[in-house]
Amino acid sequence: MDLVFLAQAAEGGQQASNLGNGLVYGLAAIGPGLGIGYLVGKSVESMARQPEAAGMVRTTMFLGIAFVEALALFGFVLAFII
Amino acid sequence: MNLLLAAEAEGGFHVPSLETLFEFPAFLFEDTLFALNRTGLLYLIAAGIVCALMLTAFRAPKVVPGKFQAAMESVVGFVRDNIVLEVMGPDGLRFVPFLTSLFLFIFVNNFYEIMPFVQFPTTGRMAVPALLALTVWFVFIAVGVKNQGLKYFKNAIVLPGVPFAIHFLLVPIEFISTFIVRPLTLAVRLFANMMAGHILLAIAFIAANAFLIDFHAWPFGFFPEGASGAVIGIFALAAGPLLVAFELLVGVLQAYIFTILTAVYISGALHPDH
């Protein structure tokens, strides 16, 4: 059952598009959520193992977060556009 | 202000539309190319603030810095040590002025979100993030062409040490990710973060107002939506200050990420490493 059908089954018109918008953002947030969690967890682990490398790890972590987060934000913007 | 009135006018809690949150009518030179509205004015003021901060701190620098000069020096030092030296190495030092002004300008525009009486993140409109991302795009391509000549484009999209047939797959991917996705994500990341933050803050404050105090009853009525509404209102009221602190963090972090990504892109154009 595809999402468009689900959305149409909801109640037609405005409500369907609201549900669609919510689904777009919700689905777009799953992957980046998992990704950021994994990324930060691993970074904290390596910072705890080697505190003297914390600065380098933190910079790289923010870079990685920025790339992963972009996907979720595309979903957020698309939710308003469609 | 008119937002609260709009929410209040019909009574009860309404999520404000994006138009009321993000669009302001022009008040100067209307219907011309130079139409100026609140957002445009705030951009100009932000540029003025950054210039004023830098000029007052560094126009006549003292050997023993005062408090203000020390604070601004720590900002420049942060960009130099934590961004440029960490990402680009010593030969990126000539980009410190560019990156510092980028960082400060984005930070001031983000800080508008929680500044009393302004409370509108001007980076929550696409105009300035898109312009800044395009500037960064031109800068890193220009740096690449200046340092590597036209071979820069070949170095950027053709990876060495890959079987010949894989190039048909990799070259389009590398081209799209370097020259299209980079500026797009740079702009969208900043814009969407600030837009989401503004919507979040507006909804929290409007909910606290709408569920706790009824301005229609005289002098004041409390809890117009009943007990269950009061619970939501108290949560929203408690969430407000926390969200403001969170948005300050987000504002600093987004300025930092924009600057550090710019540094990464420029450093990729400086050294042909792949």
Side-chain angles (χ1 to χ4, degrees), chain B residues 147-217:
Chain B
N147 277 277
Q148 304 171 30
L150 286 179
K151 277 189 74 181
Y152 165 66
F153 294 104
K154 178 182 165 291
N155 290 340
I157 61 177
V158 181
L159 302 184
V162 175
F164 178 74
I166 303 292
H167 278 310
F168 290 102
L169 189 65
L170 272 187
V171 167
I173 291 179
E174 281 291 311
F175 177 78
I176 289 175
S177 86
T178 306
F179 294 111
I180 295 173
V181 173
R182 270 183 185 184
L184 197 67
T185 48
L186 211 53
V188 167
R189 182 179 301 114
L190 179 60
F191 153 73
N193 264 297
M194 301 324 289
M195 181 189 176
H198 187 49
I199 294 173
L200 205 62
L201 281 183
I203 286 179
F205 288 133
I206 290 174
N209 174 50
F211 284 116
L212 289 183
I213 299 178
D214 183 5
F215 287 112
H216 295 286

Side-chain angles (χ1 to χ4, degrees), chain B:
Chain B
M1 195 61 196
N2 49 5
L3 197 75
L4 284 182
L5 292 179
E8 267 304 304
E10 298 157 47
F13 174 62
H14 298 282
V15 176
S17 69
L18 286 183
E19 285 76 30
T20 49
L21 279 180
F22 285 98
E23 287 177 12
F24 301 99
F27 60 80
L28 213 60
F29 313 125
E30 210 167 338
D31 296 327
T32 65
L33 198 60
F34 302 102
L36 192 66
N37 64 2
R38 187 166 170 239
T39 318
L41 186 65
L42 286 173
Y43 285 141
L44 296 179
I45 295 176
I49 291 176
V50 174
C51 290
L53 284 177
M54 283 311 202
L55 282 178
T56 46
F58 298 126
R59 201 221 293 257
K62 297 190 182 60
V63 181
V64 181
K67 271 182 191 161
F68 182 66
Q69 191 188 336
M72 292 306 291
E73 275 178 10
S74 77
V75 173
V76 179
F78 169 74
V79 173
R80 197 190 62 190
D81 297 339
N82 290 17
I83 295 178
V84 171
L85 286 181
E86 194 131 320
V87 172
M88 304 166 84
D91 56 346
L93 279 178
R94 61 200 150 112
F95 293 102
V96 170
F98 173 61
L99 293 174
T100 311
S101 38
L102 202 61
F103 177 79
L104 270 178
F105 183 68
I106 296 173
F107 173 69
V108 170
N109 276 302
N110 291 351
F111 188 74
Y112 278 153
E113 185 179 12
I114 54 173
M115 188 189 279
F117 306 110
V118 180
Q119 289 179 323
F120 174 66
T122 39
T123 34
R125 298 305 305 267
M126 196 49 163
V128 154
L131 183 71
L132 292 177
L134 273 181
T135 314
V136 170
W137 188 70
F138 275 115
V139 166
F140 81 72
I141 290 180
V143 168
V145 171
K146 184 160 171 265
N147 277 277
Q148 304 171 30
L150 286 179
K151 277 189 74 181
Y152 165 66
F153 294 104
K154 178 182 165 291
N155 290 340
I157 61 177
V158 181
L159 302 184
V162 175
F164 178 74
I166 303 292
H167 278 310
F168 290 102
L169 189 65
L170 272 187
V171 167
I173 291 179
E174 281 291 311
F175 177 78
I176 289 175
S177 86
T178 306
F179 294 111
I180 295 173
V181 173
R182 270 183 185 184
L184 197 67
T185 48
L186 211 53
V188 167
R189 182 179 301 114
L190 179 60
F191 153 73
N193 264 297
M194 301 324 289
M195 181 189 176
H198 187 49
I199 294 173
L200 205 62
L201 281 183
I203 286 179
F205 288 133
I206 290 174
N209 174 50
F211 284 116
L212 289 183
I213 299 178
D214 183 5
F215 287 112
H216 295 286
W218 194 87
F220 277 151
F222 290 105
F223 310 135
E225 306 282 321
S228 59
V231 174
I232 301 177
I234 288 169
F235 268 115
L237 188 65
L242 295 179
L243 284 177
V244 168
F246 177 67
E247 287 306 320
L248 178 62
L249 176 75
V250 169
V252 178
L253 204 61
Q254 287 310 315
Y256 170 64
I257 284 178
F258 197 101
T259 319
I260 202 170
L261 282 176
T262 306
V264 169
Y265 296 158
I266 293 177
S267 116
L270 271 179
H271 319 287
D273 54 2
H274 252 315

